[in-house]
Amino acid sequence: MKKTTLIAALAALTATVSAVEINGKLIHAFALTESPPHGIDHNAIGDGGKARGAWQMHFAAWWEASASLKSAGYKTAPHAIGAHDPALAHTHAKEYMAITHKRLAKRMGREPNAFELYAAWNLGVGGFAELGFKIDACPSATRNGIQRLKIHLTR
């Protein structure tokens, strides 16, 4: 697909998608999107060893989710181990997704949709903000991830 066609399709899709609900389907779709091409890979290591597990969480994201979970009485584990544990990673991904959603909604002044949440997950809320919260301004890797997410959410 040509870049201009992909950008136009993403812009149209983003305009028609409603606010996101963080639920099992979305969390699962993020894992499928982050650990392609063969499905969920809990052993995945990316970004030069910085991103781990099916959700490709970096240490800072893991640490922040861990701190929030610990304060609520949940079990946590070090990033290098926990990010590869399916149950712990799912719990941490859900928590960090909620943290990201809250920050993104505050910065955008409205509820984000699933694709905007993914862009913020992938680039960080600050990184996505630097792009004016515009999907079409995101790097191609992020836009391609959004396309994969769209597929996983419609299955």
Side-chain angles (χ1 to χ4, degrees), residues 105-130:
K106 184 176 181 177
R107 297 270 309 258
M108 293 177 77
R110 64 171 175 80
E111 288 292 309
N113 64 44
F115 309 113
E116 292 163 333
L117 182 60
Y118 178 79
W121 177 275
N122 190 258
L123 301 168
V125 173
F128 191 37
E130 288 174 9

Side-chain angles (χ1 to χ4, degrees), residues 45-130:
I45 298 176
D47 289 348
K50 296 176 189 173
R52 294 181 170 270
W55 288 274
Q56 289 295 281
M57 292 184 74
H58 283 242
F59 174 80
W62 185 267
W63 181 86
E64 191 167 5
S66 288
S68 179
L69 289 166
K70 281 180 189 175
S71 71
Y74 285 89
K75 178 184 173 187
T76 64
H79 177 246
I81 297 166
H84 300 289
D85 177 281
L88 283 174
H90 181 275
T91 302
H92 280 69
K94 180 180 180 182
E95 185 68 15
Y96 192 68
M97 207 174 286
I99 291 167
T100 302
H101 178 272
K102 183 177 179 179
R103 285 185 182 146
L104 186 58
K106 184 176 181 177
R107 297 270 309 258
M108 293 177 77
R110 64 171 175 80
E111 288 292 309
N113 64 44
F115 309 113
E116 292 163 333
L117 182 60
Y118 178 79
W121 177 275
N122 190 258
L123 301 168
V125 173
F128 191 37
E130 288 174 9

